[in-house]
Amino acid sequence: MIFRLALIPILATSLNAFTVTGLQVEHQSNPVGLDDSHPRFQWQIAGETPGLSQSAYQIVVGTSAESISGDSGDLWDSGKVASSASHVTYAGKDLPSTAYIFWKVRTWNTSDEVSPWSETQKYITALIGSDPTAPWISFKDDIPFHKEAKKLHLPAPRYYRKSVKTDRKITKAIAYASALGIYELHLNGKRVGDTYFAPGWTNYHKRAYYNTYDLTSQLQGNTNTLGAIVADGWYAGYVAYGKLVGYGPYKTGRNTYGKTPALMVQLELTYDDGSKETVTTDPTWKVTTGPEYEADFLMGESYDARKELGAWSTNGYDDSAWQSAILAKDNGSHKHVFIDRFSKEEKEFGFVKPPVLQAYPAQPVRITEELPSKSVTKREDGKYIFDLGQNIAGLIRLKVTGESGQKLTIRYGEVLHPDGRLMTENLRQARSTDTYICKGDPKGETWTPRFTSHGFRYIEVSGLTEKPSTSMVTGLVMHSDTPFSSGFECSDPSVTQVYKNAVWTQRGNWIDLPTDCPQRDERMGWTGDAQIYAASAAYHADVAAFFKKWLRELEDDMTPEGYYPSYAPYPVGHGGAIHGTAWSDAGIIVPHSIWKATGNPDFFVNHWPAMTQYMEARKKHDPELQGTAFGAPWGDWLNVNDPTPHEYVDLCYFALVCKQMAAMAEAQSLNNEAQKYTDWLETLRKNFRANHLQADGSIKPTSQSAYVLALDCGLLTDEQERKTAGAHLAKHLQSKSGPTNTGMTTGFLGTKPLLPVLTDTGNLDLAVKLIQSRKFPSWGYEVKNGATTIWERWNSYTEEHGFGGADGKMNAAMNSFSHYAFGAVTEWMMSTLAGIAPAEPGYSKILLHPHFPSKEASDETDTISWVKAYHDSPHGRISVSWKRDGNDALVYEATIPPNTTAELILPESSPWKSENPARVSETLLPGTHRIVVK
Ligand code: BGC
């Protein structure tokens, strides 16, 4: 056996140059509108000197670029702080509201050489310690409250405008705006910013966000005109499956939070003499309807271009035919009975000011990519179907030349029926139909809806009189604009595609919150899905700010007993309980996952009282710690005829959250709490052994997920017992496998940890065989059948039964082609196959532990022989690659960023030349390393 380890710093340079980059405040770069009084600043170090690390830093913060032009700042100068930490919580003077905040950082390396100052960063504070006080306005809403459950009610969005005259020169104009509904802000004839679906979905009775806009550069002299368009959105429009199951006021599924959308704008002006003025929404604003005659998030948008208002947000526009706005409260009280599974009580649907107004804390939803149509096909019925080649969520841009009054109807689908028809059955009650009525411009007209979103790959257009070219329809990919942060490829294109599909599914579902699916009448922040996927999501993208927002929504909708809900926000009840095992546990698992990925303890520190309350409520429900039927019994949802009892799943998840709570308590030095959760975990383990572990090491219940969960959740700790349980699991899988079947039966909960526990118990080859398989059910089966996103069900489509499932009923029930839970396998692909994981939270110490399958692992195709991956960690990019060369040597390369170290675990000799070679572990310093193992 030969073991050769050669550390070659490929990019070694003699220069010690290093710089400070990747600066973020509260996990965003140069955010506009932060209301945190003590934000967290972080940075990275860039430089190619091997071993580069930080020994000290200095951060300066000021109110102007000049104030920090030297080596200090007028708000804060940390001085030189001896520390390797590349983040710090603000500790200067009180941060001013509505201000530009400038900051920069320099660092010292371990030889005490100093870097240049970073580029100056600039962010904008929102209102710190106070809320906007602008009055909320609405149109005078005389429309009777909608009471017909069967009939769609789709009111037109409203256009608001107001010209603002000033007599002095404005040097700064910052606007805060929000809506009950969704809105777009305009100024002087142009849309402000590029955000969609502002201000996001919250429980508006508890909290709403406002967005911050710097209007300074869009101002024109002494008169400026503000405008806004406001649609129903989640506040008043159709939400989730309310219409389908008959929930909401009068069982209509709409008006979940209120009757009439409302608008709030507060413009803070600073004049050149330093004086300030605030302009707000009030009844002097004018309001009318425009070309959109319908605009609903689920149902779609309808636009009559003949009714366009022209330059409606410019100075001097004739608004004499517009009505005056009114104070939102003047639409009066509207009390109606709200009906869902859990309530039937009278509620107020008139205006209620959200008790908490906060600055939107995350990257907003934006259009992040445009996809041209790849083909257009004529159907016999005169309709045309455009194909983007990729399942996405978002909108389209329509470019058309038509007669005035020509009506185009646009429908969306994720897949086609075998005969080429658009498949829309899986949209359920989401109409997802846009309508465009042409104005007849001979030069052509262009339209993009604004207040709706669809999940689709195919676009069906009817109403055309001649064959269009593909350029008529462009797909606009929309999602919360979290910076993407990873890549994965390997020698098996199917596995590479699985990774891409998971990332596309995240893009399709990260719409203000982690939704379950982007197409049907659901699109809710299901907590089970989110907890399963959080760690994968954090590999794929920088989701810290995104989860900072959602964790608040999760806490807002906790039940009075202290249970986290099954989805957040929680607009209407579900058929089961409000909470549920593994779903509610998201309140613990998501903060834990995001802490691991980012190193920021705020994700649990800020929620600790609620997390603790939840754990106590969970314990109260199960004082003996045996596992009980805890809330809704979804359990191992969508398993393949291999269910696991709810009580058993609960036992496992209780153990998992105890383990994570103990770790998070310890990280805060809450030793008694850490001990308490460790004690609970011990009792859960004891009860597991007493009630579920058999003498031969097998587990009762016998489902695959029963094994997977016991192994993953920390119930089985003894190495030998784990191996035995792993062997039983492998046997179970093999016994169910056959020429066309992988044997996999796990559902939502069992699938994510399946490959990790197989790997961990000595069954790596089986794990690799499964990820490479094209048999049913598997990720590769989806890819083989044309998937470009992850399916909700293993059998969302089967070669034998199409979309219908064996009983032919699946479409009507639910069958999404963009559901990320099964995509959580990417966590294993990154952490285990490529071998990039945080050894310490936030990757200040990295674990590089790649795994190498034997050559025969896959019996369907060539076993994976190389992998390349990277992840942009909080310290910078970590890249790795490994390959089996022609002589069966292992060639491994890794680049680790400055200010980190990595523990590398590799076999002592080629894994393809000897069986189970011993592992060696090596500490790697920043730089690039190439290692050959023969
Ligand atoms: C959602 C799931 C969710 C589940 C709860 C479904 O309708 O789409 O992803 O977790 O309900 O069982």
Side-chain angles (χ1 to χ4, degrees):
M1 277 201 309
I2 305 166
F3 173 60
R4 203 177 65 183
L5 186 92
L7 256 70
I8 308 166
I10 292 173
L11 294 171
T13 101
S14 56
L15 295 171
N16 284 339
F18 62 106
T19 54
V20 180
T21 63
L23 293 96
Q24 286 190 332
V25 51
E26 283 297 312
H27 299 287
Q28 294 189 69
S29 86
N30 297 325
V32 176
L34 273 193
D35 58 6
D36 305 66
S37 56
H38 294 88
R40 173 186 157 111
F41 295 91
Q42 69 186 68
W43 57 90
Q44 295 169 1
I45 301 165
E48 288 170 355
T49 314
L52 176 61
S53 281
Q54 175 188 302
S55 65
Y57 68 83
Q58 182 181 10
I59 176 169
V60 295
V61 183
T63 52
S64 63
E66 301 75 58
S67 74
I68 61 160
S69 58
D71 291 344
S72 64
D74 62 347
L75 286 171
W76 188 34
D77 174 2
S78 70
K80 182 177 176 183
V81 181
S83 166
S84 62
S86 52
H87 59 86
V88 62
T89 300
Y90 181 74
K93 291 185 193 155
D94 283 354
L95 284 168
S97 290
T98 321
Y100 298 133
I101 303 295
F102 297 80
W103 63 287
K104 62 183 186 181
V105 173
R106 64 177 169 176
T107 60
W108 283 260
N109 64 13
T110 40
S111 314
D112 208 29
E113 293 159 322
V114 67
S115 73
W117 283 103
S118 68
E119 274 181 33
T120 293
Q121 306 295 300
K122 177 181 167 188
Y123 83 95
I124 302 181
T125 54
L127 296 169
I128 299 176
S130 68
D131 286 356
T133 50
W136 291 73
I137 59 169
S138 287
F139 60 99
K140 185 160 170 34
D141 186 0
D142 294 327
I143 309 166
F145 200 92
H146 183 63
K147 296 182 179 173
E148 287 177 76
K150 295 250 149 54
K151 211 170 135 198
L152 279 184
H153 174 57
L154 299 168
R158 294 301 196 276
Y159 282 65
Y160 292 83
R161 59 171 264 118
K162 165 83 186 175
S163 291
V164 180
K165 288 201 170 56
T166 47
D167 53 7
R168 279 157 293 165
K169 190 168 179 312
I170 300 168
T171 53
K172 188 169 76 181
I174 306 286
Y176 302 116
S178 184
L180 295 175
I182 46 186
Y183 77 99
E184 245 186 47
L185 191 67
H186 288 242
L187 174 69
N188 295 330
K190 283 208 187 99
R191 186 178 166 198
V192 179
D194 52 4
T195 297
Y196 285 82
F197 312 135
W201 187 3
T202 53
N203 178 345
Y204 304 99
H205 299 307
K206 294 209 167 147
R207 177 198 311 266
Y209 293 109
Y210 63 86
N211 309 88
T212 306
Y213 304 90
D214 186 354
L215 305 184
T216 317
S217 64
Q218 234 175 287
L219 292 179
Q220 294 172 353
N222 284 352
T223 306
N224 289 281
T225 299
L226 280 164
I229 319 173
V230 186
D232 283 354
W234 296 283
Y235 175 78
Y238 288 91
V239 166
Y241 41 63
K243 180 163 187 302
L244 178 79
V245 297
Y247 286 164
Y250 305 99
K251 306 187 175 183
T252 58
R254 56 171 286 117
N255 295 116
T256 307
Y257 298 96
K259 177 174 192 287
T260 315
L263 171 72
M264 185 282 299
V265 179
Q266 178 164 321
L267 173 61
E268 304 283 356
L269 299 173
T270 307
Y271 294 110
D272 57 354
D273 59 5
S275 62
K276 294 186 179 193
E277 191 182 344
T278 303
V279 174
T280 67
T281 31
D282 64 25
T284 64
W285 286 52
K286 302 296 278 297
V287 57
T288 193
T289 51
E292 293 90 356
Y293 56 96
E294 296 178 340
D296 187 85
F297 192 71
L298 293 180
M299 303 303 169
E301 195 160 314
S302 301
Y303 188 93
D304 186 345
R306 297 168 303 179
K307 304 233 166 91
E308 282 174 354
L309 297 173
W312 62 277
S313 67
T314 56
N315 299 334
Y317 179 82
D318 178 9
D319 61 12
S320 54
W322 293 37
Q323 294 169 338
S324 292
I326 62 169
L327 291 176
K329 68 178 173 45
D330 289 344
N331 269 321
S333 163
H334 288 267
K335 293 207 163 131
H336 302 279
V337 175
F338 184 96
I339 299 163
D340 74 6
R341 163 80 168 71
F342 305 102
S343 76
K344 202 175 175 180
E345 54 184 83
E346 194 171 64
K347 285 192 182 167
E348 178 59 79
F349 292 87
F351 173 75
V352 179
K353 187 176 175 237
V356 176
L357 270 176
Q358 276 176 304
Y360 191 83
Q363 296 91 351
V365 175
R366 294 192 176 105
I367 292 172
T368 60
E369 192 175 339
E370 299 194 357
L371 297 181
S373 295
K374 291 213 152 123
S375 66
V376 54
T377 312
K378 185 171 184 185
R379 306 273 313 137
E380 283 151 13
D381 50 12
K383 297 173 177 167
Y384 290 90
I385 293 188
F386 295 77
D387 178 7
L388 299 179
Q390 173 64 51
N391 198 22
I392 65 166
L395 299 170
I396 59 153
R397 184 186 310 115
L398 181 72
K399 267 192 180 167
V400 66
T401 309
E403 297 290 318
S404 173
Q406 186 177 341
K407 184 171 173 178
L408 307 184
T409 305
I410 307 153
R411 299 199 307 153
Y412 299 85
E414 298 188 286
V415 283
L416 298 179
H417 281 288
D419 62 3
R421 265 177 311 129
L422 195 68
M423 201 281 233
T424 56
E425 292 89 327
N426 69 342
L427 306 180
R428 281 196 321 216
Q429 296 269 322
R431 190 187 64 175
S432 261
T433 301
D434 297 331
T435 306
Y436 183 77
I437 301 179
C438 300
K439 58 187 164 199
D441 186 337
K443 292 204 279 297
E445 35 202 295
T446 303
W447 177 64
T448 296
R450 319 159 190 262
F451 300 113
T452 191
S453 173
H454 311 288
F456 64 105
R457 166 176 169 170
Y458 299 96
I459 306 103
E460 179 202 83
V461 182
S462 46
L464 293 168
T465 49
E466 54 191 57
K467 185 173 188 263
S469 75
T470 49
S471 63
M472 179 188 253
V473 170
T474 304
L476 305 176
V477 179
M478 290 170 91
H479 48 84
S480 291
D481 195 6
T482 53
F484 281 82
S485 61
S486 72
F488 177 97
E489 50 179 329
C490 71
S491 59
D492 183 346
S494 168
V495 178
T496 303
Q497 188 65 38
V498 169
Y499 193 82
K500 285 191 186 141
N501 288 1
V503 175
W504 270 111
T505 311
Q506 180 164 334
R507 297 178 77 179
N509 280 291
W510 246 233
I511 307 241
D512 188 60
L513 60 141
T515 66
D516 56 336
C517 54
Q519 72 301 89
R520 69 171 173 242
D521 55 347
E522 196 145 355
R523 313 185 191 186
M524 293 198 294
W526 279 96
T527 46
D529 310 39
Q531 64 86 359
I532 287 166
Y533 202 67
S536 292
Y539 271 115
H540 301 158
D542 181 348
V543 291
F546 176 84
F547 275 117
K548 177 179 166 185
K549 173 188 178 284
W550 186 69
L551 286 172
R552 292 180 186 166
E553 271 63 86
L554 185 59
E555 191 171 319
D556 278 353
D557 278 338
M558 258 182 133
T559 68
E561 306 96 301
Y563 299 150
Y564 288 110
S566 312
Y567 35 87
Y570 193 84
V572 286
H574 190 270
I578 293 176
H579 61 290
T581 295
W583 269 252
S584 299
D585 293 321
I588 311 300
I589 299 168
V590 173
H592 182 264
S593 306
I594 305 305
W595 167 51
K596 288 273 173 190
T598 61
N600 185 352
D602 288 353
F603 291 96
F604 53 79
V605 172
N606 292 342
H607 295 279
W608 197 251
M611 292 165 71
T612 307
Q613 189 195 357
Y614 172 69
M615 291 301 285
E616 292 298 335
R618 218 183 187 302
K619 170 86 171 2
K620 198 168 156 200
H621 188 78
D622 182 12
E624 303 301 320
L625 296 162
Q626 320 233 31
T628 60
F630 182 59
W634 297 304
D636 191 30
W637 182 244
L638 303 185
N639 65 79
V640 187
N641 303 321
D642 189 17
T644 309
H646 187 185
E647 294 77 2
Y648 178 88
V649 171
D650 186 59
L651 174 74
C652 296
Y653 262 83
F654 206 164
L656 180 67
V657 292
C658 283
K659 200 166 84 169
Q660 297 187 344
M661 282 298 277
M664 291 184 279
E666 205 180 301
Q668 300 172 83
S669 306
L670 299 172
N671 299 338
N672 291 344
E673 287 193 53
Q675 191 55 51
K676 177 177 80 180
Y677 296 121
T678 307
D679 292 347
W680 291 6
L681 176 59
E682 277 312 322
T683 310
L684 288 157
R685 282 178 179 153
K686 240 184 259 150
N687 288 334
F688 166 77
R689 297 189 77 80
N691 301 326
H692 300 284
L693 190 62
Q694 318 267 74
D696 65 351
S698 67
I699 288 174
K700 191 176 73 173
T702 55
S703 65
Q704 288 178 16
S705 288
Y707 281 92
V708 173
L709 293 177
L711 285 161
D712 185 57
C713 296
L715 287 169
L716 208 49
T717 49
D718 175 80
E719 210 41 48
Q720 192 46 50
E721 286 179 345
R722 290 179 64 77
K723 280 224 156 71
T724 308
H728 281 290
L729 170 63
K731 216 163 74 198
H732 193 317
L733 268 151
Q734 272 143 358
S735 73
K736 296 222 166 187
S737 68
T740 58
N741 200 297
T742 57
M744 221 162 63
T745 61
T746 49
F748 267 32
L749 304 185
T751 298
K752 175 193 125 146
L754 175 64
L755 305 195
V757 303
L758 283 174
T759 307
D760 190 54
T761 55
N763 299 288
L764 169 71
D765 279 1
L766 180 52
V768 170
K769 177 176 163 173
L770 290 173
I771 194 69
Q772 288 200 259
S773 182
R774 278 77 159 152
K775 293 180 197 170
F776 176 84
S778 71
W779 300 270
Y781 183 81
E782 298 183 7
V783 170
K784 181 177 137 206
N785 283 288
T788 59
T789 39
I790 302 285
W791 299 347
E792 176 174 21
R793 298 162 181 269
W794 290 122
N795 61 348
S796 280
Y797 172 88
T798 61
E799 286 155 7
E800 304 78 34
H801 305 294
F803 306 123
D807 59 5
K809 286 188 188 151
M810 220 165 58
N811 286 343
M814 49 181 196
N815 186 10
S816 151
F817 288 87
S818 183
H819 235 76
Y820 48 70
F822 289 145
V825 70
T826 58
E827 184 186 343
W828 173 84
M829 290 162 78
M830 288 298 285
S831 67
T832 308
L833 211 46
I836 302 176
E840 278 169 14
Y843 293 88
S844 48
K845 188 160 178 210
I846 302 160
L847 177 63
L848 298 176
H849 187 181
H851 288 70
F852 313 102
S854 47
K855 287 189 209 170
E856 305 75 31
S858 169
D859 56 0
E860 292 176 52
T861 185
D862 290 343
T863 298
I864 294 171
S865 59
W866 61 262
V867 169
K868 278 186 196 159
Y870 72 86
H871 172 57
D872 292 327
S873 77
H875 293 279
R877 179 161 295 189
I878 304 162
S879 354
V880 302
S881 70
W882 62 259
K883 70 173 184 211
R884 188 175 78 215
D885 79 2
N887 300 317
D888 285 347
L890 165 65
V891 181
Y892 179 80
E893 282 189 19
T895 301
I896 66 164
N899 213 23
T900 60
T901 57
E903 184 192 357
L904 171 66
I905 299 176
L906 283 183
E908 200 178 29
S909 61
S910 161
W912 301 290
K913 285 187 181 158
S914 50
E915 219 160 284
N916 291 329
R919 289 178 192 164
V920 287
S921 139
E922 183 80 13
T923 298
L924 299 186
L925 297 178
T928 297
H929 307 268
R930 186 161 196 269
I931 294 161
V932 179
V933 183
K934 291 188 175 168

